[in-house]
Amino acid sequence: MQFAEILLRRGLLKPHQLEQVQASHGDDRNLLEAASDLGFLNPAEALQAIGEEVGVDYLDLNSVEVDLSLLKQFPLRLIHRVGLFPISRENGQITVATSDPFDLYPLDEVGAATGLSVHPVLAERKEIGKLIKRHLGVGSETVDSLIAAADDDEIELLDEIQLDNSELSEMAQEAGVVKLVNEILLEAIESRASDVHVESQSEGLVVRYRVDGILHTQPMPPEIHRFEAAIVSRLKIMARLNIAEKRLPQDGRIKIRVSGREIDIRVSVIPMIHGEGLVMRILDKGNLSFDLRKLGMAGEVYDVFHDLIRLPHGIILVTGPTGSGKTTTLYSSLLEINTPDNKIITTEDPVEYQLAGINQIQVHSKIGLTFAASLRSILRHDPDVVLVGEIRDLETAENAIQAALTGHLVFSTLHTNDAASAYARLIDMGVEPFLVASTVEAVMAQRLVRRLCPNCKEPFEPTEASMPRDFPWDKLNGRPMYRQVGCRECRGLGYSGRLGIYELMVTTEKVQALAHDRASTWDIQRAALKDGMDTLRTDGWRKAMDGHTSVDEVLRVTKSDRVFEDRV
């Protein structure tokens, strides 16, 4: 009796659906996953039905605690190659999770290896895979066997790699090392990681993924440390870097295709005390949309910003630290105003995403193509809108202001903590205050907070003792607050995705006069607040009270407005 027969008899799968599944996945072992991917059945319900037929219980692996001590005596090859996983042991009996109750020989092997009677339970193959990665580490199968054919790789390199005949190069091209590096990248992409940190530390290789702005250490098998040099060399080869150079920083780029999606990976290598450290920024083109309406701006903020980005001339600045979503806001703004009668040119370092219909320039400082130099040339190409990736120095600032004065709308970024500081920052660079006051139309400060997982967030009643002093109780109006819990969908984090919090300061007459007179940041901030501006903290509280994020996230990325109140 096989999967297909049971599913057809139980009515969980129709004959025409089975034909469609078998056309793409011929073997019965992949039937459940293929049918699930096509939306024909729920794998948990299907396994429960199969278990009832063959007399094997179904087990939800998310609801049990695994006895990890069993891994010491359990044959690892049966975990990796067959997909078995030990769950618990009681009275001389070991409970083993399997996704295939018809494959009995591996279960007999478990009994022979452990000397225990085996009690099989059914579990989804994907859930067993998650257990393997969580407790044995990413790439544990490859490290254990170090055998995998290159044609099994799920990552396709889009650029040809260059090899030499060195021993290090040959080691980096071994099938096992290639497979191991691919698994690290695949796991990062599946986890929605924005960055992968591969660090050489005294205890060996450490891999960390940045998911929704927070770094998470990835479990790795201890044997991986033996392949540290080969892993680093493989990544450098993929990024077309010099694997023999270990004393100087290097930057490169990897272009890959995964499941039909093209993904760019920016690679930075820096020599550290214990070896080379790599950071890879993952730019998943197929998983990102630039839509200004979906970034999380409050309705009134969006309305004002919507009008600002359509001004005929002036400078609009977006400020915030690295990784606060500035580029996404700017790209979304450009795409919203991108029409055939508008010529838009950008100068960026680097060009992170290619935008259709927009002319983009990659800065190359080593050959003299700086922001300032490219901006001078851009103005001779008759643009209507210009994006300068970042205003870093006086020359770039003066050229941006010149562009604004000659009838162009200029977008750019600054590294300041809030909107009011942008005016003082430009003046500190050496720009005349009257030029800052007359050209800067608005400054948008922003941060990213993690979005609460909609599947597991739970309501709670806040108390005065549990909330910070500046929490706006008067605006809560009896609504429930929500906090993170953690479930299978969000990988136990309690959060899934991110949204922006914003502080939009429009250059009103008051702000203009204060900037002209070199007023302090606090004076400019106070004037904007009197005109109705909401701070980052205020917008964060609004999103927490609406159930989009948690109090912890607001506290993590913003400072209390009471600091400002006490100082003014």
Side-chain angles (χ1 to χ4, degrees), residues 143-305:
V143 173
D144 179 57
S145 59
L146 211 58
I147 52 168
D151 57 4
D152 287 336
D153 295 339
E154 298 177 63
I155 286 182
E156 177 189 352
L157 270 174
L158 299 182
D159 288 334
E160 287 189 14
I161 58 177
Q162 297 176 342
L163 302 173
D164 55 35
N165 296 321
S166 67
E167 183 182 347
L168 201 56
S169 178
E170 290 178 6
M171 187 169 58
Q173 290 306 108
E174 288 181 10
V177 174
V178 171
K179 174 83 171 176
L180 182 54
V181 168
N182 285 358
E183 285 184 20
I184 291 171
L185 294 177
L186 280 169
E187 178 67 12
I189 292 164
E190 289 174 8
S191 302
R192 299 180 299 101
S194 61
D195 302 87
V196 180
H197 294 240
V198 180
E199 302 165 341
S200 298
Q201 298 185 2
S202 57
E203 63 271 20
L205 197 69
V206 175
V207 177
R208 298 194 286 173
Y209 295 160
R210 188 178 294 280
V211 181
D212 293 334
I214 304 296
L215 276 173
H216 301 274
T217 300
Q218 190 64 31
M220 288 286 166
E223 295 84 0
I224 200 173
H225 306 319
R226 293 168 46 200
F227 308 102
E228 180 178 333
I231 291 169
V232 172
S233 296
R234 170 62 185 170
L235 288 167
K236 290 171 73 174
I237 288 171
M238 292 171 72
R240 303 168 70 88
L241 301 177
N242 182 359
I243 63 171
E245 179 55 75
K246 300 176 182 294
R247 300 167 301 170
L248 295 173
Q250 297 185 72
D251 293 311
R253 200 166 204 155
I254 302 171
K255 290 185 178 181
I256 59 175
R257 185 182 287 117
V258 178
S259 303
R261 303 200 322 260
E262 284 193 17
I263 295 174
D264 277 356
I265 302 175
R266 293 208 322 257
V267 182
S268 175
V269 186
I270 298 179
M272 305 285 185
I273 294 175
H274 299 290
E276 291 177 288
L278 285 86
V279 174
M280 293 176 281
R281 168 64 58 90
I282 298 174
L283 305 172
D284 188 350
K285 300 176 182 177
N287 200 30
L288 192 70
S289 63
F290 297 109
D291 188 339
L292 202 58
R293 290 181 180 273
K294 295 179 180 178
L295 298 184
M297 292 183 193
E300 56 273 20
V301 173
Y302 172 80
D303 291 341
V304 174
F305 196 69

